[in-house]
Amino acid sequence: MTTPTPAVDDRYPAPVPRLLPAGFRPDAWSDLEPLYRELETRALPDSVALEQWLLDRSEVDSAFAGEASRRMVAAACDTADDETEARHLDYQTVVLPEVKIVSDRLDRRYLESPHRLQLDRARWLVHDRDTELAVRLFREENVALEAKEERLCTEYGRITGAMTVEWRGRTWTLQALGKFLEENDAGLREEVWRMIWRRRLQDRERLDSLFDELLGLRGKMAANAGFANFRDYRHLEYGRFDYTPDDCLALHANVEEHVLPLHRRMLAERRRRLELDVLRPWDLSVDLEGRPPFEPFQDQAGHVAVARRLLDAVDPVFGADLVWMAERGLLDLETRPNKRPGGFMDTFEDARVPFVFANSGTTHGDVETLIHESGHAAHALLCRELEPVGYRSAPLEFSEVASMAMECMAMEHIAVAYPPAEARRAARDSFEGIVAGLPWIATVDAFQQRLYTQERTDRAARTELWREMRARFGGDVDWSGLETEQAAGWQRQLHLFEVPFYYVEYAIAQIGALQVWMRYRRDPQAAVAEYRNGLRRGGSRPLPELYAAAGIRFDPRGETLGELMTEDETAWSALLQSPRR
Ligand SMILES: [Zn+2]
């Protein structure tokens, strides 16, 4: 039986505009300029007028953000189309700088308004905190540097998006080759792994030069804003009011103490089962029971169908949302050449609907990605009524709880979608993946923490630093003879190029997601209700309050990791002992 899908406009109707013509899509700065000019000059005689002004500004900002997202998505879907890329770049490098400059003037106008203090303090607390920060950090000379940075990031997407390999008579993206790393034939795995790396290393020099340029730009931006280093600047720029860089260092130490030992036990178990003397990097995805790679689906429709069954098991509304997105053309999942790597959810703020992008193979990992992005989409849909626009996205430390907790909850039901043996494998991989993921996050974050605060940042220093971090947080995997590949490992981490310091959030949020999962295992209905309760608040409250609303504790230092790892290991061990068929 299929659930009837309500008409689109009944499910998530577009907001009724107050100020702009319906369907307004700003094509150029000249469409936005008069709107922002009116906001700059409008009389604001009292607090009622001021609040209306904030909401009207939010509508104009949403129109801009919606168009910017559409162009970004179009460019991600086809990195080889010059016209699409030009339209995206035009927005990022011509329109966005204008918006930033006028936004700073509007921010100042707001902060200087004598009526501001008559507004509801609790309602506007987060907005005001963000606005004060934006004014404090804004430097007009940084606008051009940020536009240049954006260009360089697009270049990273171009270089990595063009990475394909000719093999067995056809062209493969590196993503599509991923499934061969699950093959039982160790020789085949090694061949594919080496092929992937040969291709990556071809662009090593180019990526290093690109990174040199990015480092230079970032150092300059931090200095312009009066900071000694980019790390401290970025920490504040990200609005990390509720934790410090020192908390991140404590988190690294807690990962080392509580997660790494379990990660090593899991790798030792893998080595034992595979009857190997040492684990090599291509031995990490193969099934321990010697089964062939499992492809739970073949195309986008199949991908959506599998994810939908899992989401339905958590709550039918989440499954129905995914189907609705598929019908509305709000998903682009399949891999193809000249598509950006990675996956993301972005919201078209004008219509207040989410869009999910992925560059999928056909593995269980791709199912996990879609469930993850569906968690982000659920978040966007649950808080779509909030005003102003900034309240419709939570800080990453919480928005990744939405996505990762969705993954954890859905994995509890994997047996509804997969055959028993595959379900067991997927669940075990998921518990191992969480445990492997935390030291990787610590590696990436500790690498950046040091890189942006130490004197030397040249290529040799980067390599040395990366090696040091891999030694600290790596498991027992034998990389001998593969030192070049290992040293270049950081280059495949898109975040280091495109969104520096956006990574530790994944660890903080994973800690939150594991707490949701622990609650879900004991009382699923209550856990889902609280999860929703947290998501509904979008980004309208400080992080500790968002966590509390979801029934969990905000723990940026990782003090709960010991308890969470015990639960993870218990669930993992139970799977190891379950009968094999
Ligand atoms: Zn995410």
Side-chain angles (χ1 to χ4, degrees), residues 372 376 400 403:
H372 177 101
H376 285 310
E400 291 298 333
S403 52

Side-chain angles (χ1 to χ4, degrees), residues 260-506:
L260 210 49
L262 176 55
H263 179 46
R264 296 211 157 113
R265 284 198 289 283
M266 287 172 162
L267 287 175
E269 173 67 17
R270 162 167 290 271
R271 187 172 53 73
R272 199 179 62 73
R273 292 236 180 171
L274 292 175
E275 299 174 353
L276 294 170
D277 296 333
V278 290
L279 284 176
R280 301 284 272 163
W282 48 82
D283 296 327
L284 303 179
S285 307
V286 60
D287 181 44
L288 299 182
E289 295 172 29
R291 282 184 305 255
F294 177 51
E295 292 182 79
F297 63 91
Q298 291 299 330
D299 55 17
Q300 177 156 320
H303 197 176
V304 171
V306 173
R308 189 234 173 125
R309 292 188 71 184
L310 294 171
L311 292 169
D312 274 347
V314 178
D315 188 321
V317 173
F318 297 140
D321 282 343
L322 183 68
V323 171
W324 171 79
M325 290 180 69
E327 288 168 357
R328 292 288 290 148
L330 296 170
L331 305 174
D332 187 333
L333 309 176
E334 281 177 316
T335 189
R336 54 179 181 267
N338 300 311
K339 192 175 179 182
R340 228 194 70 161
F344 61 80
M345 186 285 302
D346 198 18
T347 309
F348 299 142
E349 284 297 348
D350 43 4
R352 304 194 194 182
V353 294
F355 180 92
V356 171
F357 171 95
N359 194 336
S360 276
T362 49
T363 66
H364 168 65
D366 299 301
V367 173
E368 283 181 314
T369 301
L370 182 52
I371 298 288
H372 177 101
E373 302 307 336
S374 298
H376 285 310
H379 205 177
L381 291 170
L382 276 164
C383 70
R384 71 192 292 268
E385 302 299 331
L386 295 179
E387 295 271 23
V389 58
Y391 282 7
R392 297 200 291 272
S393 49
L396 299 160
E397 294 83 352
F398 188 67
S399 61
E400 291 298 333
V401 173
S403 52
M404 291 172 164
M406 188 69 100
E407 283 186 66
C408 292
M409 292 190 288
M411 277 308 295
E412 290 289 306
H413 303 284
I414 192 70
V416 307
Y418 290 7
E422 296 302 343
R424 200 168 55 240
R425 159 160 47 166
R428 197 184 52 219
D429 285 353
S430 146
F431 294 129
E432 292 178 10
I434 287 167
V435 172
L438 288 164
W440 176 257
I441 297 165
T443 306
V444 171
D445 192 57
F447 175 70
Q448 302 194 80
Q449 295 272 353
R450 285 268 297 278
L451 187 65
Y452 286 97
T453 51
Q454 70 184 22
E455 285 283 303
R456 278 189 55 207
T457 59
D458 57 85
R459 294 174 195 197
R462 293 203 288 268
T463 301
E464 197 179 308
L465 186 58
W466 182 253
R467 283 219 179 93
E468 184 188 329
M469 295 306 151
R470 293 294 285 152
R472 181 180 173 197
F473 296 107
D476 302 315
V477 177
D478 180 11
W479 284 78
S480 50
L482 305 168
E483 287 77 10
T484 310
E485 287 84 349
Q486 191 180 26
W490 62 274
Q491 289 195 340
R492 69 194 167 98
Q493 192 65 55
L494 170 151
H495 301 70
L496 292 169
F497 286 82
E498 300 195 353
V499 275
F501 286 101
Y502 167 18
Y503 213 58
V504 73
E505 294 92 333
Y506 287 116

